[in-house]
Amino acid sequence: MNDGAKGSDLTTVGIVGAGVMGRGIAQVAGECGMTVLLADAQPQAVSEAIKACAGMIRRKISKGQLGSAEGEAAIARIVPTAASPSGGYADFASCDLVIEAVVERMDVKHAVLAGVEEAVRDDCIIATNTSSLSVTGFAARARSPGRVAGFHFFNPVPLMKIVEVVGGELTDERALERLCDVARRMGHVPVRATDTPGFLVNHAGRAFGTAALRIVSEGIATFADVDRVMTQSAGFRMGPFELLDLTGLDVSHDVMESIYHQYYEEPRYRPVAFAARRRTAGLFGRKTGRGFYLYADGRQEKPSEEAPPSLDLLSVSVWVSQRYAEAGDAIAGIVRASGARIDTEKRPSPDSVILLTPFGEDTTTAALAEGHDPSRAIAVDCLTPLSRRRTIMRTPITRPDIVATAWALFAADGSAVTVIRDSPGFIAQRILAAIVNIGSDVAQQRVATPADIDRAVELGLGYPKGPLGLGDELGARRVLDTLAAMHAFYGDPRYRASPWLKRRALLGVSLLCDD
């Protein structure tokens, strides 16, 4: 492969596929000064895409985000072509880079890429925008495999300022460097990733949805409970079920199954059966008006939340476990503020509510481990800030009056409270530990650098922190212990710790520490 045009000097880019993704790439390429040759098997789709690009660019002009002359010049640079799999891609002969953004089907993409390679110069980079198919598989069929790479944008392209630059086993390093330059020129952050299932972002994002689906499938909490906890306690912008409804279960579940099978049934990525049933039923989410939530005129209808009981707490006696002293002290402060009395005996008095603060254990296991009466035991999740929504958890035999008292106590200062059935790891502990663990294994597999993993997840998924930074914030040893407790309870290798997490937790160093 010749040096050809450097990424910052590329002047002409061809785009095959005039759908939402293709038009988004065309818009940002036109705005950064590149001539864009747009093609699609349906000529009308090209016209509609150029019209949509012009509308978006003129909206930026009206908002003062782009000068009028600059914006109109960008529109003029997006040019329709008649190129297609049936008619050939001769119009792309002058291109320095061609990006295919067609339907996510291997046979369709192979046909497009083969046709493109016949028409372009030897130094033209050929990129696929695939989100899940093998870049190596595409390159292996090419005449010049070194110039074939992954260039995976996220939708909507003008707003999602990240692009995965994926090298297959045969991709030339210079092609990847040029694509990184192009991404920066477009105003995007390029992250280098190896050619593994899901690449970087879709791989690192496996835990959020699958762990949440597992919680609901076990009857531990409702989907609305999970979303409330993950947004209000854990600080995510969207709950996992809101996100599944937004992307569409038809898309999300297929990706779950694809990555699971591509990793030869790796337990960490195992999908949940009830999600497959909902997909079969057509409960896709916003696009069908019904998913985990109902949608009226596109607006989500959220189920109401039961109000906490109103009780006189002045005569209530509460014993707080000091197994984890910092958590116990925080709980004791809330108890005192509610007006309830702290039981200061070493063992709980017969009439005391027993409050436990486990990490990774369920209430039953924690109560028995400390030798307490499970019928009076309530566990409180202390992993996330108690100033936000609070999660309390009962055993199968916790007395109803104990549950009501604990609920009233933790809601006494106006805080929202979620009451769930017994579960190793509550809701937030379970999902957050899974996020950290999968992110750690992405690092262990050298899919990307630790810094790029966190940067990509923050930009591509909108998480408050990347998985490795999140693990540092929560405490790598605490995450490791939480996973170990869940693994011990279930015996499911889904919860086994990544070597990356385990070593760094034992050494007491940052999960962002590369070796």
Side-chain angles (χ1 to χ4, degrees):
M1 179 175 171
N2 299 326
D3 281 349
K6 299 297 184 183
S8 59
D9 298 330
L10 292 173
T11 60
T12 306
V13 57
I15 298 175
V16 185
V20 174
M21 187 65 74
R23 72 181 62 164
I25 300 171
Q27 179 186 330
V28 296
E31 288 176 357
C32 78
M34 301 175 73
T35 298
V36 179
L37 305 182
L38 188 58
D40 194 280
Q42 302 296 325
Q44 184 179 352
V46 175
S47 301
E48 292 173 354
I50 291 177
K51 183 179 179 180
C53 289
M56 293 300 295
I57 292 171
R58 289 188 176 118
R59 183 180 299 178
K60 293 177 72 171
I61 294 172
S62 68
K63 292 181 177 181
Q65 298 171 347
L66 201 62
S68 178
E70 184 183 1
E72 292 300 327
I75 293 169
R77 283 192 288 268
I78 304 174
V79 180
T81 76
S84 69
S86 59
Y89 293 94
D91 289 349
F92 285 175
S94 63
C95 288
D96 305 302
L97 164 67
V98 175
I99 305 168
E100 73 76 15
V102 298
V103 65
E104 194 73 350
R105 280 178 45 190
M106 183 74 82
D107 58 336
V108 176
K109 289 180 182 290
H110 270 307
V112 168
L113 294 173
V116 167
E117 190 173 34
E118 287 297 318
V120 299
R121 303 190 313 264
D122 288 344
D123 63 347
C124 175
I125 299 169
I126 301 175
T128 171
N129 185 58
T130 182
S131 61
S132 60
L133 301 176
S134 171
V135 173
T136 300
F138 292 126
R141 290 196 182 184
R143 185 180 67 252
S144 301
R147 62 174 170 176
V148 179
F151 203 36
H152 178 220
F153 289 83
F154 292 81
N155 194 43
V157 176
L159 299 180
M160 299 293 284
K161 299 293 187 178
I162 182 169
V163 58
E164 293 174 320
V165 178
V166 184
E169 295 295 328
L170 303 171
T171 306
D172 191 289
E173 176 65 21
R174 289 171 295 176
L176 299 174
E177 291 171 355
R178 291 171 193 159
L179 286 175
C180 287
D181 286 342
V182 171
R184 295 186 191 99
R185 182 174 170 184
M186 289 179 171
H188 282 54
V189 175
V191 290
R192 293 279 296 268
T194 57
D195 185 20
T196 55
F199 305 138
L200 173 49
V201 174
N202 283 331
H203 186 172
R206 288 307 87 214
F208 194 55
T210 53
L213 285 162
R214 178 71 182 241
I215 289 168
V216 172
S217 73
E218 292 179 10
I220 293 161
T222 68
F223 59 82
D225 285 333
V226 173
D227 280 354
R228 292 183 189 112
V229 168
M230 293 310 294
T231 54
Q232 297 172 32
S233 296
F236 285 73
R237 289 189 297 190
M238 297 182 73
F241 295 99
E242 292 174 312
L243 181 59
L244 288 168
D245 271 4
L246 178 65
T247 56
L249 195 59
D250 55 329
V251 174
S252 298
H253 185 70
D254 287 359
V255 172
M256 290 178 199
E257 288 197 330
S258 172
I259 290 178
Y260 175 60
H261 292 304
Q262 286 184 77
Y263 270 104
Y264 296 94
E265 285 67 56
E266 161 59 55
R268 293 191 185 103
Y269 311 131
R270 189 189 310 123
V272 176
F274 94 92
R277 293 197 303 271
R278 295 181 70 90
R279 187 201 185 288
T280 300
L283 303 175
F284 298 159
R286 288 182 180 271
K287 67 177 71 174
T288 57
R290 184 182 174 192
F292 294 100
Y293 296 92
L294 293 175
Y295 296 86
D297 298 324
R299 297 184 63 180
Q300 183 189 94
E301 296 181 0
K302 291 191 175 182
S304 60
E305 189 172 11
E306 186 179 351
S310 179
L311 301 175
D312 179 6
L313 299 172
L314 294 178
S315 60
V316 172
S317 175
V318 180
W319 186 90
V320 181
S321 171
Q322 286 296 312
R323 181 182 177 190
Y324 301 100
E326 185 178 351
D329 290 345
I331 295 300
I334 293 172
V335 171
R336 292 190 186 95
S338 75
R341 176 173 56 84
I342 293 285
D343 179 350
T344 58
E345 298 298 322
K346 287 187 177 180
R347 302 293 301 170
S349 300
D351 61 343
S352 291
V353 175
I354 301 170
L355 296 183
L356 309 173
T357 59
F359 292 94
E361 294 174 330
D362 62 350
T363 315
T364 298
T365 301
L368 295 177
E370 295 187 44
H372 300 312
D373 178 2
S375 70
R376 292 188 287 136
I378 291 287
V380 188
D381 188 355
C382 294
L383 185 67
T384 55
L386 291 165
S387 57
R388 304 174 184 171
R389 175 177 288 271
R390 297 158 182 170
T391 302
I392 64 174
M393 183 169 66
R394 57 183 174 83
T395 74
I397 62 170
T398 302
R399 291 175 1 213
D401 63 308
I402 296 292
V403 176
T405 299
W407 189 357
L409 186 156
F410 284 102
D413 61 359
S415 295
V417 178
T418 296
V419 183
I420 66 173
R421 294 184 176 91
D422 220 1
S423 163
F426 298 88
I427 293 173
Q429 288 184 22
R430 195 163 169 175
I431 295 175
L432 294 177
I435 289 171
V436 174
N437 196 38
I438 286 182
S440 295
D441 219 51
V442 172
Q444 182 65 48
Q445 295 178 39
R446 273 61 181 185
V447 174
T449 66
D452 273 357
I453 291 168
D454 272 13
R455 185 181 299 114
V457 168
E458 290 165 11
L459 291 174
L461 297 176
Y463 288 5
K465 276 186 179 292
L468 305 179
L470 175 63
D472 284 348
E473 181 180 85
L474 299 174
R477 187 56 190 252
R478 176 143 288 169
V479 174
L480 178 64
D481 291 346
T482 298
L483 288 165
M486 293 191 293
H487 193 201
F489 182 90
Y490 284 109
D492 187 343
R494 176 193 297 270
Y495 301 110
R496 75 193 192 282
S498 165
W500 185 279
L501 168 63
K502 189 169 186 176
R503 291 192 184 97
R504 283 154 184 77
L506 294 175
L507 290 169
V509 299
S510 170
L511 294 179
L512 287 160
C513 174
D514 205 346
D515 57 4

